[in-house]
Amino acid sequence: MAMADEIRAEMVANVWKVVAAAGDAVADGDTLVILESMKMEIPVLAESAGTVASINVNEGDVVQEGDLIAVVE
């Protein structure tokens, strides 16, 4: 069984849009969440194919660098 991928924030940003939901099948490179920082939209991508185990943020949240955004199994 493959390890779960923990997708973490790379910077302080606002969660602008949550695209994926727990249970969704995703491919490598699919957008999970879109962050907004300094008026730029930053897509948060799946790093491997799998199933979204959890989305750990909600639209409107502020994430800090290193915060857990999603888990893909």
Side-chain angles (χ1 to χ4, degrees):
M1 182 174 155
M3 287 279 296
D5 276 340
E6 291 186 344
I7 314 296
R8 295 190 176 270
E10 295 180 4
M11 65 188 74
V12 176
N14 296 307
V15 178
W16 182 68
K17 188 168 176 84
V18 175
V19 179
D24 287 357
V26 293
D28 184 12
D30 281 359
T31 300
L32 302 174
V33 173
I34 300 172
L35 302 179
E36 183 271 326
S37 180
M38 298 179 289
K39 304 296 180 208
M40 291 176 45
E41 292 177 15
I42 302 122
V44 176
L45 307 177
E47 296 170 0
S48 60
T51 302
V52 178
S54 64
I55 297 288
N56 298 73
V57 296
N58 295 300
E59 291 179 11
D61 286 356
V62 175
V63 293
Q64 305 295 321
E65 186 175 344
D67 283 358
L68 182 63
I69 293 178
V71 177
V72 177
E73 296 180 329

